[in-house]
Amino acid sequence: AVASPGERSAVAVRPHWLCIVFAAAALAACSTTADRGADRGAALGLAEAGVAASIAMSEEAAASRTAFLDDGRRVDLLFYLGRAAAPPAAVPTGEIARTSPARAANEETRRRIALVLLQREQAMDALARAYAELGALAAADPGADVRTAVGTFTERANIFIAAVGALPGVGALPLIGSLGATAASEGLALVAERRQREEVKRTSAEIRTALLAVAAAVEAERDHAAAIRQGIIGTKASLRAALIEAGLADHAATVATVADLSGSAPREDAVERLEGPRGERLRAALDGYQKTEQARDAAVVAAAYETLIAALRALVDEHRKLEADAPVDATLIRLWAARIEEIAGRLRAAGHAGG
């Protein structure tokens, strides 16, 4: 089946981001230390690291959304299986397929969280483009279009912030105001000739202002969505147990997961042994293992939010340094990008794990 644009896999490669990364690296390589000055080199370094961090944050949001949507589908199936398992007097056959007001409210909350994750992903995509154009501006590339890129990032960031504000219990959050109105009329040629350094700093300040608002929105998202995201992580094991109880599945997937972890091949009669009378204690042990894995997966969600917020704050700090002509630590930003990439990989692995 072909995924819809809103449900595309987070594992899919995005070739256009490779172009942005290579372009940023090429711009840095073409500008020697002698001809660009300390502030210009700092801007190029921050722009290149910012592209890497933005891509990582976009991938984390995509992986989070894919896992969340998959868990939500399991919640739906569990609901209907539970109704089917209920006594006919409590839930007549004709009522099994019907929902309830409480479940409809939960579905709406999940829909809004999924939308928040999508909007955050798109905001980070736009941020990567803004950083690429900042690098082009610092390298005096006549084709740089920093005004459009920063404007697009601001627009996408405001859409994300508004989506967070629509979550239950959050309320409206402050949006990012209009940025760079005076600089837009000056034209790149004038900036390149007379005010390039000022324009780089002005652009840095605009990105920094937007990043502060995005960081605050991610904090609000964490406070109101993390518990819900963590609460449905265990649905894979619960759904498997329900299907086994209904006679629609067996323990084959559990056996395969355990065998893979141990680096061994399961016996042909492993499922029969596990489901037999003597397998009760082993089933209890495997249930304990699955609960431990669920706790780890829930911890990844919490770690993702804390890492994202810290990375955004680190970017803000480096922008402040750039604007004050202080040394910029682009290596620190790359380290944050690597941490976020690792978390995105763990989110993808948790979503596809057999446990």
Side-chain angles (χ1 to χ4, degrees), residues 56-57 60 120 218 303-313 340:
M57 289 188 281
E60 183 279 331
R120 175 149 60 81
V218 174
Y305 278 117
E306 299 309 318
T307 304
L308 284 171
I309 293 167
L312 290 167
R313 299 291 182 188
I340 297 170

Side-chain angles (χ1 to χ4, degrees), residues 250-253 255 267-276:
D250 58 24
H251 287 88
V255 169
R267 293 170 52 109
E268 290 185 3
D269 62 346
V271 173
E272 181 180 350
R273 284 170 172 264
L274 183 60
E275 294 180 344

Side-chain angles (χ1 to χ4, degrees), residues 9-10 63 80 105 113 117 123 145 178 181 189 200 263 278 306 313 321-322 333 338 348 350:
S9 171
Y80 290 112
I113 292 175
L117 294 169
D145 188 8
S178 178
V200 166
R278 295 184 179 180
E306 299 309 318
R313 299 291 182 188
K321 294 177 185 178
L322 177 65
I333 302 304
R348 285 191 289 267

Side-chain angles (χ1 to χ4, degrees), residues 230-323:
Q230 291 170 319
I232 66 173
I233 282 177
T235 53
K236 182 178 289 186
S238 299
L239 179 57
R240 177 171 297 155
L243 291 173
I244 291 173
E245 180 68 22
L248 301 177
D250 58 24
H251 287 88
T254 302
V255 169
T257 298
V258 173
D260 182 64
L261 285 172
S262 64
S264 60
R267 293 170 52 109
E268 290 185 3
D269 62 346
V271 173
E272 181 180 350
R273 284 170 172 264
L274 183 60
E275 294 180 344
R278 295 184 179 180
E280 182 179 359
R281 290 175 62 81
L282 183 55
R283 290 197 302 272
L286 293 179
D287 182 61
Y289 162 74
Q290 290 176 338
K291 290 179 180 178
T292 300
E293 286 295 286
Q294 292 166 19
R296 287 198 189 101
D297 293 343
V300 172
V301 173
Y305 278 117
E306 299 309 318
T307 304
L308 284 171
I309 293 167
L312 290 167
R313 299 291 182 188
L315 279 168
V316 168
D317 290 342
E318 297 309 313
H319 276 284
R320 287 196 176 106
K321 294 177 185 178
L322 177 65
E323 295 152 31

